[in-house]
Amino acid sequence: MGQTAAVGAFLWITVVSLAAWCWMLFGQGFFWRTDVRLPRRREPDEWPSVCVVVPARDEAAVLPFSLPSLLAQDYPGRAEVFLVDDGSTDGTGELARELSRRHGGLPLTVGTPGEPPTGWTGKLWAVRHGIGLARARDPEYLLLTDADIAHAPDSLRALVAAARTGDYDVVSQMARLRVASMWERLVVPAFVYFFAQLYPFRWIGRRGARTAAAAGGCVLLRAGMAQQARVPESIRHAVIDDVALARVVKGAGGHVWLGLADRVDSVRPYPRLGDLWRMVSRSAYAQLRHNPLLLLGTVAGLALVYLVPPAAVVVGAAGGSAATALAGASAWAVMAGTYVPMLRYYRQPWWLAPLLPFTASLYLLMTVDSAVQHHRGRGAAWKGRTYARPDAVPDEG
């Protein structure tokens, strides 16, 4: 009798999970579709000037695969690259100069900002220094891009044309991350899938919509809006700086667009689970505003949406409840079906889709670990530099 009641209770939990998936299928901005790419654009009569800002700390391993692609941009207007060597110990700055001498292309300036003052997190101090150098050139646009991002020759041209055509203050592309190792195949497409679920790209591009996000590896920002929104000073505490940037731009009345990239790629490898774990856990709890109640709600939500469906199939089969098994299988099928487009975007086989509950369980554990590290007093980190916890940083005005 008790077992029957337990199976019946689990049936209702599974029905809630299935209902959640049916709602997300149609009501969450069609987040699972991968057709949000650079919007239609036309080339301007006069090409505006652009300064490219690249924060770099100990990036000698990836610069040979990324920096030449920036220097080789086929851009009809005036463009210049500013690489900020943020305290590197591996010769990043000198390597950048050598690559510029070897490959030519756009002019390159290498700057060094010095140690960041209290209150600046992540790479934002380096970004501030780069923007300061760029302002002497009075550019109309700033391209903020990471040192591990390789751009197709027409990338800058397409970004600027899209910004001009759509009157966007921010045009951001989520670079295609590397998927070569087993763990990258399991975790990386899901990372982008979960991000799109939190920040549906279609909602971000709507004027007046509250949803705001960007992808820090590739952000074209109108320089006038950067001054108006006080970027990066206004977000200097932010661990998730790209989302924070989009929010302050929208808050200042700006128009933001974010989509998937076709020819902008990250060259940074994450071959082991530990590499990916650190990438996610570094900012997962910050995404929840370091709130224990939000953490509990997130854990419960992940379990309900991603873990209940396969568990229901097992419980239903073992308990003789066809309804429970059917509801669980239906929710699992919807889940897997929404994941297939992202797997196709990453050129991965469809049979990885049913493994999404396993990957979600890893993300659940990463999020919990992020909270544990935070409450142990370990602050945010960028390339080996650890910062004070955000809730311990004083406001410097």
Side-chain angles (χ1 to χ4, degrees):
M1 183 70 177
Q3 180 179 354
T4 302
V7 172
F10 202 80
L11 169 60
W12 285 109
I13 295 173
T14 307
V15 168
V16 173
S17 179
L18 176 59
W21 274 111
C22 290
W23 179 83
M24 285 190 290
L25 181 63
F26 300 107
Q28 189 64 11
F30 293 98
F31 75 94
W32 45 273
R33 294 179 58 174
T34 56
D35 57 348
V36 181
R37 311 294 174 91
L38 272 180
R40 294 180 62 182
R41 53 201 178 274
R42 60 181 180 276
E43 296 194 344
D45 295 330
E46 294 186 10
W47 289 90
S49 61
V50 182
C51 285
V52 182
V53 176
V54 185
R57 179 174 168 84
D58 292 333
E59 297 286 17
V62 297
L63 273 187
F65 306 102
S66 60
L67 185 58
S69 73
L70 282 174
L71 300 176
Q73 285 301 297
D74 177 19
Y75 185 69
R78 180 167 59 88
E80 187 171 350
V81 179
F82 293 86
L83 185 139
V84 183
D85 181 7
D86 187 10
S88 299
T89 59
D90 65 351
T92 288
E94 184 52 43
L95 175 59
R97 295 185 184 95
E98 171 59 27
L99 290 169
S100 178
R101 288 191 291 267
R102 189 187 312 166
H103 294 277
L106 299 184
L108 172 71
T109 299
V110 177
T112 304
E115 288 297 312
T118 301
W120 288 80
T121 59
K123 62 188 179 186
L124 288 170
W125 179 245
V127 170
R128 178 186 184 276
H129 185 75
I131 291 178
L133 294 173
R135 279 176 179 156
R137 308 295 197 269
D138 192 27
E140 186 171 339
Y141 289 97
L142 299 163
L143 175 60
L144 311 180
T145 186
D146 289 343
D148 65 321
I149 302 299
H151 293 256
D154 62 347
S155 174
L156 181 58
R157 187 175 189 144
L159 286 165
V160 171
R164 275 294 186 87
T165 303
D167 193 25
Y168 293 106
D169 297 286
V170 168
V171 173
S172 179
Q173 287 186 292
M174 180 161 284
R176 199 189 306 257
L177 303 176
R178 197 189 88 140
V179 284
S181 71
M182 178 192 72
W183 288 112
E184 286 171 336
R185 294 172 186 273
L186 275 174
V187 175
V188 166
F191 175 81
V192 181
Y193 174 88
F194 294 144
F195 185 93
Q197 192 175 58
L198 284 173
Y199 305 102
F201 296 159
R202 282 174 171 77
W203 292 356
I204 292 169
R206 294 178 185 170
R207 286 190 181 274
R210 296 182 60 185
T211 305
C218 179
V219 179
L220 184 74
L221 171 64
R222 190 166 61 82
M225 177 54 71
Q227 290 186 306
Q228 183 178 336
R230 296 180 55 246
V231 172
E233 287 80 4
S234 62
I235 59 172
R236 65 188 183 277
H237 298 166
V239 175
I240 309 175
D241 50 86
D242 43 14
V243 174
L245 183 150
R247 284 175 176 165
V248 297
V249 168
K250 271 208 169 183
H255 193 192
V256 176
W257 184 93
L258 171 63
L260 294 173
D262 286 313
R263 302 175 69 199
V264 177
D265 301 285
S266 173
V267 299
R268 191 183 307 282
Y270 294 96
R272 297 174 296 273
L273 177 59
D275 302 319
L276 292 159
W277 194 289
R278 285 186 290 274
M279 178 190 74
V280 175
S281 64
R282 182 186 72 87
S283 59
Y285 196 41
Q287 180 67 55
L288 302 177
R289 301 195 291 275
H290 304 104
N291 187 318
L293 292 178
L294 285 178
L295 173 66
L296 290 174
T298 298
V299 169
L302 284 171
L304 173 67
V305 172
Y306 289 100
L307 305 187
V308 164
V313 173
V314 175
V315 170
S321 173
T324 302
L326 179 60
S330 299
W332 198 354
V334 175
M335 179 199 315
T338 63
Y339 190 38
V340 167
M342 189 61 70
L343 290 173
R344 286 177 177 168
Y345 171 74
Y346 271 97
R347 306 182 184 97
Q348 298 304 304
W350 66 267
W351 53 260
L352 289 174
L355 300 181
L356 187 57
F358 171 73
T359 305
S361 69
L362 291 178
Y363 274 89
L364 188 155
L365 294 174
M366 293 173 190
T367 302
V368 172
D369 181 58
S370 179
V372 170
Q373 297 304 320
H374 172 81
H375 289 292
R376 284 180 176 175
R378 299 178 185 177
W382 182 58
K383 301 296 292 180
R385 179 188 287 153
T386 302
Y387 303 85
R389 297 187 323 182
D391 56 8
V393 173
D395 190 348
E396 299 177 359

